[in-house]
Every structure is written in C-alpha cells, then in structure tokens.
Amino acid sequence: MHWHTWLYLDVTPIEEGSARIFTGEERMALFADLAKLADELAHEPSRLKKRAAIAEAIAAVHIAAPESEDAGLFALYLAGMPFAEADPRKLNAGGSLLSKALLAVSGASQAELSREYKRHGDLGAAGFDLLSTRATERTRPPTLQNIAEAFTAMAAARTTAARASLVEGLLQRASPLEAKYLLKLMVGDMRIGVKQSLIEEAIAAAAQVAVAAVRNAVMLEADLSAATERAFAGTLAEARMRLFHPLGFMLASPVDSPEEAVERFAAKPHEGDEPEHVAAFLEDKYDGMRAQIHCSDASQPGRVAIYSRNREDVTESFPELQEAFSRVSEHAGALIFDGEILGWDFDTARALPFAVLATRLRRKRVSNELRAQVPVVFMAFDLMFAESALLLERPLKERRNRLESVVEKLTGHATASIIVDERARNAQAVLFAGEESAALSRLLLAPSRLVQSADEIERAYTDARARANEGVMLKAADSIYQPGRRGLAWLKLKRELATLDVVVTGAEFGHGKRAGILSDYTFAVRAANGELLNVGKAYSGLTDAEIAEMSAWMMAHTLVDEGFFRTVEPLRILEVAFNNIMRSDRHASGFALRFPRILRIRDDKPVSEIDTVERVEEIYQSQVDKPVE
Ligand code: AMP
C-alpha cells in the first residue's frame, strides 16, 4: 500500500492573529488501493484468500487513520455501495450518464465504446480499455474522502449537467484502474465475486470480533461503514434496530405437488427414525407485489415506508397505504409488516388480477382515477418487528399470534378512502376515519391455518385457485424468519408450466406500427459467477402502453447505441413463457427458448433474483425430448 502524508493547517484563530498548526499525521486512504485490491479479488477464486486479503486491507486502512471514516468507506465501496443502505441519498447517475462521461473523458467514439462494451458487458471494464490508451498526467490521485465528497455533491446536484461534471471530474483524476472500479462502484455492482457477507466476515477478522456481531449490527442499522467503525470501537453491541431501511425478505422454494410438500416437511430427528410431521401453516399465494411496511415509530410519528422486494422505497406509489398506516401510530408502537400489496375488489373481497395492479406499479403520482380503478390493500402475513423488538428469531407460530393481535387492534384504524377530496387536500386537512363514510380498511390479515395431509393441501389449493389466487404457500410453524433466504421452511405450490424471470439486456426497434419503438427485447439469465448471459429474444405479450413505457425507459437507459439495436442497463425484469428450451449457440447461455412470449413485466423483482443458467439447464433436462438447434 502507498500512503500519502498530509499536513493539516487549521486556520481557526485561537487568539487574535494566531493560527494553530496540527502536525499530527493522518494517512488518507487512496482509492487506488481499493481498485488494486478489487482487481486482485476478481482473479482470486479462493473465498478464504479473498477474505484474508480484504481483512488485511481494512485493518491497514484503520491503523493508518484510526480516527477517520476511511476503513468504513473502504468496506462500503468494496461492497459496491456509494452510500450505506440506511442512507436515503442516491447518486442519480445511471449507465447513460456514466457512459457519456466516459466518452467525454476518454475522447473515445460511440463505436469504440460499443465495441469495448460488447467485449466485456461491463462499463467499468470498457472504461479501463478506453482510458488505457490515453496519456495522462497524474497529479492528485483521489482519496476515499474525495470520493465521498463527490458522491455527496452528486446526490445533492440539481441538474444532470452538474452531476455529469462531477463524474467527469472524478474520472479525470483517476488512473484507468481507478476509473474501472469507480465506474463499477457508481453502477453499484463491482462484479468481483465478493458478496457483502464476505466483507462482513473480513471486517470481523480485521477487528478481531465475532462475525455474528458484525452481521447483526449491519442488519439492525443497514450501514456497513458504521458497522466497521463499531467493530473497531468495540461498540457493535450498542447497535439498535432503526426503522425505515428494508430488511431482507424471506423467500419460498417451489414444490410440484402436495405430496412433495408433505415429504419436505417430514423431519427425521435421527437417522433411521420414522419421519415426524412438521406442523405447517397454509396460506393462499397471492399474485400481487411483495412489500414490507414500516410504520408508527415514536421518533417519527406518522412516517410510513413501503419497500419492494428489490429494496426500493415505493411508498409514493401507494398513497392510500401510506395514509392508512400513518394513522396506526395512535394505536401501536413501531411495527414492520411483511405481506403482499394487492389490487382489491372491496365488493367481492377478492384480489384483482396482477395485470390490473400492474397498471399502477411504476406510477409515482397516483390520481384519483387510478385510486378508484385499482384500489389497493396490504395483505399482511408476517410481523417482523413489534414492541421494540425484532421478531425474526421467534418461531412463525409466535409471530403469527402477534400479527393477529396487532391486526385486530388496528381494525378500523388503518383506513383510507377510495379517493382524496382535492379541496380538503389543498386545505391540508386530513380525512379521518369515521368522518368519512367511504373509509376502507387497507390492512387485511392473510387467512392461515395448520395443515397436515396432502389431501388437505390439495383441497386448499383448489379453493385458492377458485378465489383466483396463484396457489398456496406452506410455512413451517416453528421456523424462524430468515431474511433474504430461499430456504425450505417456506414452500410454494403453484402448478403451471415453467416460466423464467429474465432481465432485458438490449432491444431492437420494431417494424410496421412499432417502427421507431424499442419493442424486440433480448434478455438474459444469470450465470453462477454473476455474469448475465443472453438466453432469448421476444417481442410479443405486452400491451401497447407497456411497450411504449419500456421503449421510453430504454431510450433513457441506453448504455450503447448501435442504431437499430441498443444495449440497455440490465434492470428490467420480464417473466417469459416458452414452448420448450433447446441447446443453441445463438446466445451466450448456450440455450435458446422456442416461441418465447412475455407474460409480464416484473418490476417487483430485483435482478439478483432472476433465474439462473442452472435453472434453464434443469428445465431443459426435464423435457421429454431435448431439442438441439
Ligand atoms: P415467486 O415470485 O414465484 O418466487 O414467489 C414468491 C412470492 O410469492 C413472494 O415474494 C410473495 O410476493 C408471494 N406471496 C404471495 N402470497 C404469499 C404468502 N402468503 N406468503 C409469502 N409470500 C407470498
């Protein structure tokens, strides 16, 4: 590591006419050290060696400047996060802004960028190649602090031009290697095969504390950098749960039949024992949007946050829910619910089809018309936090009991009317339940019951389908809540043809009435090393309005413009159906889909949860005749 020694001149006068000079040496961490380490990690297959290298680097940064934030920033940036998760600030620098800045600084042409991007599929790697040919004079290599300052300024910048010039300023000062990792950091994905959990382990090793203590602090405060500082300061145990940052969602594993579900839930306490049946709760599987609601925190009364499965704050899109849950604070302490947002028919007390809910998912401003056309409710099925305590470690049966009593207490309070009275809204008046005859309950409790046999599950499945729900969920009654895990404690049963969740990587302009519209999508699945590999192309299945919205979005999120084809930021997820899968070298995944059609846009899913090449292989193998192109 190379360190720069800085001399601080504090010009605050202590007495008239005098200035104090600090001679204390602070060695500020350079981004170059992080970039170099990141590049080494990308080529290091051993998890153990990776962890040791990260731990050593974090410890070195800490020792060099124990009082600074450097060690925390180092951990945060290495995880590919410009800001801590609990920090609401955003860089607001998408791939298109970054690629323009890269063109400006490197002097490269669109065609060159396009070539490099195609070669690497990664803006940072493309940047490295484009900048390597440029002769530069290196005067001021950026420190971690410099980068933190630039990020702060970017988050506060009012115009795209101001943000772009900050990015250009950083890239100007960066070596090709620094630029490579700066770009990756700003994109929010380092692609060095280092997950946050590995960095947490390295922090623990560097500070010689228990990994569990680090992980716990990160979960409670959602701040990797603060956890690093706590680890060195010995204050991890003082971390307290803060609301208003998303916790990970627990996910379910698929089963194909009620029998398989019963078998999965049959435990053998000891080898050779007869299997014992594990008590399991059964709920309908609703086809809406998974969400976590935080509300009723005494320190911020009335504040409500709704988070989607991809950890985005979607509160604005559901003003009715925000309104309803803001009323909860008079009747309960801080709460975190897990559940499903559903379009709801209040007359029949049934969920509306997902396609109806989808029409309002990406809207930020929700009109009265939309509120009336697609009324929404929150169907709660789990309680993650209540009475000042996280409940994740408590068994489901206890969480369920508490959920039931909370919902009962809030009945008649978590309400909002179908439409808002514009005059009342203008006068800043709030419509309270009781005063408003149309106030509707927006918090519903998902019915749940214990089941034992495959027959019972089969009947419940048929009933759920008759209510137009997707299928059923089975959840082990003794299971703890495992954030972000797809374990075997939750099972989902939905019998249908396999579909794939894929991410759009590029689009072509259509023909005929779709001329000028990006309507033919190329999409990818995820390889084991995190790379996105294309698996197919599709152009049918979406409505004209959806296609228009996707097209506008892709125009704004173009990474590489090749005229007829645009490579776009891999952020939009589609669920696609197909007749079968064949082996093919047309796409990088080695597979192609026959007769693919788009079932729906899945903006509720994060890219990290799209299907994998492994899953494609599995479906391929399960086909009776395995077609090869
Ligand atoms: P999938 O999207 O097919 O992986 O299925 C998992 C999703 O099912 C979750 O993310 C939820 O959005 C949804 N879901 C619907 N009903 C329930 C329920 N009762 N419990 C848990 N998840 C549910």
Side-chain angles (χ1 to χ4, degrees):
M1 294 230 168
H2 321 284
W3 300 107
H4 281 232
T5 306
W6 298 74
L7 194 68
Y8 279 112
L9 180 63
D10 183 345
V11 291
T12 325
I14 299 171
E15 290 159 32
E16 278 273 289
S18 77
R20 198 153 52 106
I21 293 176
F22 275 115
T23 48
E25 279 183 7
E26 277 281 304
R27 291 182 292 171
M28 306 182 87
L30 295 175
F31 190 74
D33 295 322
L34 190 146
K36 190 163 161 282
L37 173 67
D39 219 45
E40 283 160 14
L41 295 171
H43 300 105
E44 173 57 70
S46 154
R47 197 172 182 281
L48 273 178
K49 285 190 186 150
K50 278 184 185 175
R51 184 172 59 200
I54 301 169
E56 192 188 330
I58 292 176
V61 174
H62 171 71
I63 290 165
E67 301 300 323
S68 81
E69 297 175 323
D70 281 354
L73 287 176
F74 193 96
L76 188 70
Y77 293 167
L78 193 64
M81 293 192 283
F83 296 111
E85 196 170 10
D87 190 333
R89 289 178 299 171
K90 295 255 168 344
L91 284 187
N92 298 316
S96 120
L97 184 148
L98 296 177
S99 60
K100 282 194 196 116
L102 176 58
L103 287 179
V105 173
S106 65
S109 65
Q110 262 294 347
E112 286 168 309
L113 172 60
S114 167
R115 194 188 59 223
E116 292 307 332
Y117 189 85
K118 258 215 193 116
R119 218 151 66 86
H120 299 286
D122 178 280
L123 198 61
F128 178 81
D129 286 357
L130 294 177
L131 291 167
S132 294
T133 53
R134 183 190 59 152
T136 47
E137 231 179 275
R138 294 260 296 154
T139 46
R140 298 175 298 143
T143 62
L144 295 184
Q145 280 298 336
N146 293 152
I147 286 163
E149 282 153 23
F151 285 177
T152 298
M154 282 170 74
R158 297 251 169 102
T159 62
T160 311
R163 267 193 301 280
S165 89
L166 285 159
V167 175
E168 286 176 28
L170 277 178
L171 293 180
Q172 296 285 10
R173 287 176 64 178
S175 71
L177 192 68
E178 287 159 5
K180 174 176 180 178
Y181 287 98
L182 254 174
L183 285 165
K184 285 168 179 272
L185 171 58
M186 289 189 278
V187 169
D189 190 355
M190 301 295 266
R191 301 205 192 165
I192 49 174
V194 172
K195 291 205 175 124
Q196 183 172 321
S197 60
L198 187 66
I199 297 180
E200 289 164 359
E201 289 172 26
I203 295 169
Q208 303 189 342
V209 295
V211 181
V214 176
R215 291 208 208 290
N216 193 50
V218 172
M219 183 177 72
L220 297 177
E221 297 184 332
D223 190 333
L224 198 60
S225 138
T228 311
E229 284 168 31
R230 281 191 181 287
F232 285 113
T235 60
L236 285 168
E238 289 163 31
R240 292 286 168 272
M241 177 67 196
R242 273 194 235 142
L243 261 67
F244 306 114
H245 63 82
L247 295 168
F249 289 84
M250 179 150 171
L251 301 171
S253 302
V255 285
D256 292 327
S257 67
E259 290 75 21
E260 190 186 339
V262 170
E263 205 173 298
R264 289 273 186 104
F265 277 147
K268 285 186 196 166
H270 304 288
E271 203 52 40
D273 283 4
E274 274 298 295
E276 280 174 14
H277 286 293
V278 176
F281 286 111
L282 179 141
E283 296 158 13
D284 278 14
K285 183 173 193 301
Y286 302 95
D287 197 4
M289 179 188 158
R290 182 77 175 272
Q292 202 177 91
I293 298 191
H294 294 219
C295 65
S296 194
D297 187 8
S299 66
Q300 302 176 67
R303 177 164 176 202
V304 174
I306 308 176
Y307 299 107
S308 67
R309 201 162 125 182
N310 48 10
R311 304 175 93 93
E312 240 175 82
D313 185 333
V314 294
T315 319
E316 272 181 330
S317 305
F318 304 101
E320 311 91 315
L321 299 181
Q322 182 178 21
E323 197 179 313
F325 283 85
S326 72
R327 299 206 165 107
V328 162
S329 47
E330 289 168 40
H331 312 279
L335 295 167
I336 303 179
F337 293 100
D338 184 9
E340 192 93 351
I341 294 175
L342 297 172
W344 194 248
D345 182 336
F346 280 95
D347 294 329
T348 59
R350 278 193 186 175
L352 297 167
F354 179 82
V356 177
L357 176 68
T359 59
R360 62 174 282 182
L361 280 188
R362 286 182 78 81
R363 307 282 184 98
K364 289 244 158 102
R365 303 208 16 213
V366 180
S367 64
N368 268 337
E369 285 74 18
L370 207 53
R371 282 176 68 131
Q373 272 162 18
V374 191
V376 290
V377 296
F378 180 73
M379 183 66 83
F381 50 69
D382 218 315
L383 188 63
M384 303 169 80
F385 185 89
E387 289 173 30
S388 318
L390 259 187
L391 305 178
L392 308 184
E393 300 284 323
R394 311 283 174 81
L396 173 61
K397 55 178 186 275
E398 184 187 331
R399 302 198 306 273
R400 176 74 203 183
N401 274 336
R402 297 176 70 155
L403 174 68
E404 285 175 11
S405 64
V406 166
V407 174
E408 192 183 340
K409 204 156 70 181
L410 298 180
T411 302
H413 299 300
T415 62
S417 53
I418 282 283
I419 56 169
V420 238
D421 181 334
E422 291 300 337
R423 281 164 309 161
R425 180 146 74 176
N426 293 342
Q428 302 259 304
V430 187
L431 301 172
F432 279 104
E435 289 170 32
E436 236 306 296
S437 56
L440 297 166
S441 188
R442 303 291 181 158
L443 167 62
L444 304 181
L445 176 69
S448 174
R449 65 193 172 85
L450 285 168
V451 288
Q452 282 258 323
S453 69
D455 275 357
E456 266 178 295
I457 298 171
E458 180 76 50
R459 273 197 302 276
Y461 176 83
T462 313
D463 293 347
R465 297 295 301 193
R467 285 187 286 270
N469 291 331
E470 250 192 315
V472 293
M473 302 285 299
L474 288 143
K475 302 178 179 178
D478 284 321
S479 62
I480 61 166
Y481 193 105
Q482 293 176 289
R485 290 279 292 279
R486 193 184 290 284
L488 292 177
W490 287 18
L491 300 177
K492 60 184 178 190
L493 174 62
K494 51 173 187 179
R495 265 171 292 181
E496 59 187 27
L497 263 181
T499 61
L500 286 174
D501 292 327
V502 297
V503 66
V504 180
T505 52
E508 240 170 83
F509 288 100
H511 305 283
K513 82 176 176 122
R514 292 187 181 164
I517 299 176
L518 287 166
S519 56
D520 297 8
Y521 314 120
T522 299
F523 47 78
V525 288
R526 187 176 283 274
N529 64 1
E531 230 180 301
L532 299 174
L533 300 180
N534 287 342
V535 69
K537 276 170 69 164
Y539 54 87
S540 72
L542 296 182
T543 65
D544 287 345
E546 284 171 324
I547 293 168
E549 185 273 323
M550 285 283 276
S551 178
W553 186 92
M554 288 174 182
M555 295 286 194
H557 291 80
T558 297
L559 291 172
V560 182
D561 179 356
E562 291 181 62
F564 72 101
F565 183 86
R566 285 174 174 233
T567 303
V568 300
E569 282 186 81
L571 292 172
R572 300 296 299 267
I573 317 287
L574 301 176
E575 183 175 350
V576 294
F578 42 86
N579 285 16
N580 53 36
I581 295 181
M582 51 199 170
R583 283 220 192 271
S584 150
D585 32 19
R586 208 179 333 156
H587 300 296
S589 62
F591 292 101
L593 307 182
R594 192 175 278 164
F595 300 118
R597 51 209 179 263
I598 302 164
L599 294 183
R600 55 163 116 153
I601 303 173
R602 297 272 334 230
D603 285 329
D604 58 316
K605 271 207 173 177
V607 181
S608 58
E609 282 172 28
I610 61 169
D611 279 302
T612 55
V613 178
E614 199 186 347
R615 173 78 186 134
V616 175
E617 170 90 47
E618 215 175 274
I619 301 174
Y620 175 78
Q621 293 299 348
S622 74
Q623 298 172 136
V624 185
D625 57 342
K626 302 179 180 45
V628 176
E629 195 175 50

